[in-house]
Amino acid sequence: MQRREFLYASLAASCSLAHPSSSLFAAPSAAASRIEILPEEPLGTISPDICGHFTENLGGVIYDGIWVGENSKVPNVSGIRKSLIDEMRKIKASVVRYPGGCFADSYDWRDGVGPADKRPRRTNFWNGGELASAPASHKYDPNQFGTNEFVHFCKLIGAQPYLAANVRSLPAEAFYQWIEYCNSPAGSTSLADLRSAAGYPEPFNVRFWGVGNESWGCGGNFTPQEYAVEFRKFATWVPQYGHQLSFVASGPNVDDWSWTRGFLEEILRKGKGQLRSIYGIALHHYAWNLSRGRTQDWDQGKGDAVKFEPVDWYELLREGERMESLIQGHWHAMQEFDPDHSIKLVVDEWGPWYRPGSELTPGDQLEQLPTLRDAVFSGMTLDIFNRHPEKVAMANCAQLINCLNSLYLAHEDKFCVTPVGHVLGMHADHQGGQGIRAEFSSPSISYDRDGKRASFWGLKGSASLHAKDIILTVVNPSVSDPRETEIIIRNTRVKSAAATTLTHTDIHAHNTFDQKEVVTPQTKSVEVSTATLTHTFPPASVTKLALKLE
Ligand code: AHR
C-alpha cells in the first residue's frame, strides 16, 4: 500500500483536518486511545540543546549549504546563506556542532583562520567518496569557512557553537590554542590579536568542546582505555578565561556498553575528581538497517529514502525507537562509575541513513530526500529525548542541510525546508520547559513483516509545562489509522488550545525546490470548555497541542 487517499477521505469527513475547529471538543468520548498528563510529576527541565544541530564539512553541508560567499548572487549575510539564517531564527536554534563528524579528526583549525586569501586548500576527509562531478570545494577544502565564519553563523541564528577537536591527528596543544583563539580576551594573546584582526575583538566564549569524534573508529581507532588517556590529557589544565568549558567525550557506537564502561573505568583510575572534567558522553545512533534481519552489511542493509512500502516505514521507526533503550542502557552503565550522574548524555548524531539515489542535488555526498516518514521518525526521537530530560543534555540531528536527516535542502539559489525541519520547529516550544510525565495508551498497530504479524505501539509523545501552558507532542505512526484520543490533564482544566499538525495523505510526501510546501504544518486554534478533551490524531502524523491552563 502506498497511498491512503480512500481511508483519509473517509477520515476527513469526521476528523480534525476537515473540521479543525472541532478537533478538540468536550467529553463524553468513546475514544479508544487515552493520554493522561500529570503536571505534578516532573521529570526535569528539557534542555533547549535537545533541539540541536550538526554541520560537518562534508559534501554540500558547508559549501553551497551554509556558505555561499560574500560575492554570491545568492542572498547572504557575510557569505552565509540568508534563507538559512531566517529559517533557523524561527526554530530557536540552540546549539550547532562543527566541523564534524569524522572530518573533525583530520582538521587543523589553524587552516581556517587569518586572511581568507591566504588560507590553504586541503584534501577533505570525505574526498574519497566524492563523485568526479562534485564541485572542487567538496573535495578540496578551500578553508573559506572556518572558526570565525562558523561562530558568526551561530551568532546570526542565536545559537551556541559546539566545536569538535581533532584528537586523532593533532596534539593537545593545538586544542588549547584553539580555545585560546576563541576565548582569550581582546588584546591578551597573539591569537586574540589574530581574531581581532579578522574583525572579532571580543572573545567568542565557546563553551562546548567535543574531544574527538567516534574515537572508536574514524577518530583514531582507540580502545576505550586508550581514548580515556587521551581525553584526560586534552581536558586537563585547560585555560578557562573566566568561562566554564563543557567537554564532551567521544562516546559509544550504538549499544557498545563496553565502550562506556571501559572509558569511565580508565578515567577513574586517576581518581573521582576526574569525572568533573566531563560534561557529557556522546552517543551516536543512525537508523540504517531496513533489511528486516536479513543482513548486517552497511551497504546492503540500507533502504531507499523515498521509494518504500509500509513495512519499511515501520522498520525505520523500529530501528529509531532503539534510541530509548540506548539512552537507558548507557545511563545505567554510567551509573556504575558516576552514581550521582554528574555526566550527561549528548546524542550528537542521530537520524535515518539511506542508500544513495534520492539527492536533490546529484553529487552531494550523503544527501537524501527527507519524507513524511523522516518527520515522524524525528518527532518520535525528539519525544524520546524529552522523556529523559535528566539524562540527555544535548542532541544534534545529523545533519542540518544537504546531508542525511536534513532540516533544509539548498543548491545555489534554491532552498526548501524539509518535513524534518518543520518537526524541529514544532518541538522548539518544549525548550526549557519542565518535562512532565504523560501516560499514553492506544491499541498497537499490527502489520505484515515477511509473512509474520508484527506490532508497533499506537501512540506516543512527550509533554512539558511552561508556567500556565502545556506543550504536548504526539506521534501517530500508523500509515492508515487515525487515533481518536481522550486527553486528560490531572487536577487541571484547559482554557484554550491550538493544534499544529504535520501530515499528508501520501506517506512518501516530501518538499522539493519546485514544490516547497507539500508537507507543512497546519495550526488551528480550538475552543474548549471542559477538562476532558478529545482529539483525533491523523495517520502518519506529528502533532503539537499547545494547551493553556486555567
Ligand atoms: O554524519 C556522517 C558521519 O557519521 C559522521 O562524520 C560520523 O561521525 C558518523 O559516522
Side-chain angles (χ1 to χ4, degrees):
M1 190 209 317
Q2 296 195 345
R3 289 190 172 257
R4 299 165 294 123
E5 279 86 345
F6 171 74
L7 252 173
Y8 203 80
S10 35
L11 160 69
S14 61
C15 91
S16 57
L17 289 187
H19 302 288
S21 62
S22 65
S23 64
L24 208 53
F25 52 84
S29 156
S33 302
R34 189 170 189 268
I35 302 170
E36 186 175 13
I37 304 173
L38 304 140
E40 285 150 15
E41 296 199 29
L43 303 173
T45 302
I46 295 179
S47 164
D49 299 335
I50 277 177
C51 286
H53 308 285
F54 174 34
T55 56
E56 177 163 9
N57 192 346
L58 190 185
V61 177
I62 302 295
Y63 297 102
D64 198 20
I66 301 173
W67 181 255
V68 293
E70 285 174 348
N71 300 325
S72 171
K73 297 194 303 274
V74 181
N76 69 84
V77 180
S78 320
I80 298 161
R81 184 182 287 278
K82 185 171 179 309
S83 45
L84 177 65
I85 297 168
D86 294 345
E87 286 300 328
M88 291 195 78
R89 278 189 181 145
K90 286 188 209 160
I91 65 167
K92 301 184 201 145
S94 61
V95 64
V96 188
R97 179 176 182 239
Y98 165 85
C102 293
F103 177 87
D105 279 286
S106 65
Y107 179 62
D108 189 336
W109 68 271
R110 295 166 291 204
D111 291 342
V113 297
D117 60 350
K118 302 266 180 322
R119 297 183 192 173
R121 280 172 291 136
R122 303 277 187 215
T123 307
N124 191 302
F125 170 89
W126 294 97
N127 181 58
E130 291 288 351
L131 298 178
S133 57
S137 60
H138 293 189
K139 291 179 271 191
Y140 303 104
D141 181 5
N143 275 307
Q144 297 303 291
F145 188 89
T147 304
N148 302 335
E149 292 76 17
F150 172 66
V151 173
H152 190 52
F153 168 54
C154 290
K155 196 162 178 206
L156 289 170
I157 61 175
Q160 289 208 62
Y162 167 21
L163 292 170
N166 179 343
V167 172
R168 191 190 72 220
S169 54
L170 285 182
E173 182 193 29
F175 177 50
Y176 304 152
Q177 290 182 353
W178 200 6
I179 296 172
E180 183 172 299
Y181 178 82
C182 290
N183 292 359
S184 62
S188 66
T189 66
S190 300
L191 288 172
D193 291 348
L194 183 64
R195 192 187 65 226
S196 291
Y200 302 95
E202 292 315 313
F204 294 150
N205 295 329
V206 177
R207 173 185 167 191
F208 295 115
W209 295 88
V211 180
N213 168 76
E214 298 195 349
S215 302
W216 42 265
C218 63
N221 259 328
F222 294 110
T223 65
Q225 292 77 16
E226 287 167 346
Y227 172 69
V229 172
E230 292 297 314
F231 181 90
R232 275 205 303 259
K233 191 165 67 184
F234 272 66
T236 297
W237 298 108
V238 182
Q240 301 271 321
Y241 306 108
H243 286 273
Q244 184 198 0
L245 301 180
S246 297
F247 296 126
V248 178
S250 174
N253 184 27
V254 197
D255 58 357
D256 185 358
W257 321 115
S258 68
W259 178 276
T260 302
R261 290 202 174 91
F263 168 71
L264 287 172
E265 191 174 40
E266 178 58 42
I267 285 286
L268 280 172
R269 268 154 50 89
K270 286 291 289 177
K272 281 193 175 159
Q274 296 292 321
L275 294 177
R276 286 200 297 274
S277 65
I278 312 171
Y279 171 76
I281 294 185
L283 165 64
H284 292 180
H285 172 49
Y286 289 99
W288 61 274
N289 193 339
L290 304 190
S291 73
R292 304 197 284 282
R294 287 192 192 94
T295 179
Q296 289 300 316
D297 183 276
W298 175 249
D299 294 319
Q300 310 253 313
K302 295 210 194 80
D304 194 276
V306 183
K307 296 180 208 118
F308 56 84
E309 299 297 320
V311 67
D312 305 312
W313 166 287
Y314 293 122
E315 201 64 15
L316 182 84
L317 296 182
R318 287 166 83 102
E319 286 293 305
E321 218 218 348
R322 290 180 67 199
M323 182 63 82
E324 189 143 29
S325 60
L326 293 173
I327 290 169
Q328 287 163 328
H330 286 294
W331 191 251
H332 187 67
M334 288 156 71
Q335 186 163 350
E336 294 168 30
F337 305 91
D338 176 27
D340 298 335
H341 282 303
S342 63
I343 305 171
K344 307 296 177 198
L345 279 165
V346 170
V347 187
D348 55 18
E349 291 185 30
W350 65 267
W353 191 323
Y354 303 106
R355 61 174 171 247
S358 67
E359 306 83 17
L360 265 198
T361 305
D364 271 3
Q365 195 176 174
L366 299 192
E367 183 177 305
Q368 57 196 31
L369 187 51
T371 68
L372 181 61
R373 175 172 60 162
D374 303 301
V376 168
F377 177 102
S378 300
M380 175 188 78
T381 305
L382 293 169
D383 283 329
I384 292 173
F385 298 147
N386 290 343
R387 292 199 291 267
H388 299 277
E390 79 289 15
K391 305 183 185 81
V392 184
M394 187 196 293
N396 308 71
C397 179
Q399 297 195 9
L400 179 71
I401 184 165
N402 291 346
C403 186
L404 302 175
N405 202 36
S406 310
L407 284 75
Y408 311 105
L409 295 169
H411 180 50
E412 297 172 345
D413 59 350
K414 294 177 271 199
F415 180 85
C416 69
V417 183
T418 72
V420 172
H422 289 306
V423 168
L424 267 288
M426 288 164 71
H427 267 258
D429 288 348
H430 277 299
Q431 292 179 347
Q434 178 62 241
I436 50 179
R437 197 154 77 85
E439 291 297 318
F440 289 71
S441 65
S442 186
S444 297
I445 297 161
S446 175
Y447 66 98
D448 181 84
R449 190 174 186 261
D450 297 328
K452 296 196 181 115
R453 296 316 294 166
S455 67
F456 197 75
W457 46 262
L459 219 53
K460 274 194 187 180
S462 64
S464 60
L465 183 64
H466 309 248
K468 292 289 236 175
D469 293 337
I470 284 178
I471 298 294
L472 172 69
T473 44
V474 178
V475 161
N476 177 358
S478 170
V479 296
S480 53
D481 297 336
R483 296 284 183 204
E484 189 184 20
T485 306
E486 187 182 23
I487 301 168
I488 296 155
I489 305 174
R490 194 181 281 177
N491 295 334
T492 312
R493 293 165 66 89
V494 174
K495 203 162 61 178
S496 63
T500 303
T501 308
L502 189 83
T503 190
H504 197 275
T505 51
D506 183 355
I507 59 174
H508 313 91
H510 51 264
N511 299 334
T512 62
F513 298 143
D514 298 328
Q515 295 196 292
K516 294 177 200 266
E517 299 198 349
V518 175
V519 189
T520 52
Q522 305 298 320
T523 299
K524 306 286 175 188
S525 64
V526 182
E527 288 298 315
V528 288
S529 56
T530 76
T532 305
L533 312 168
T534 301
H535 182 74
T536 299
F537 296 97
S541 65
V542 178
T543 301
K544 176 185 75 177
L545 287 173
L547 309 170
K548 289 211 171 297
L549 307 180
E550 280 187 346

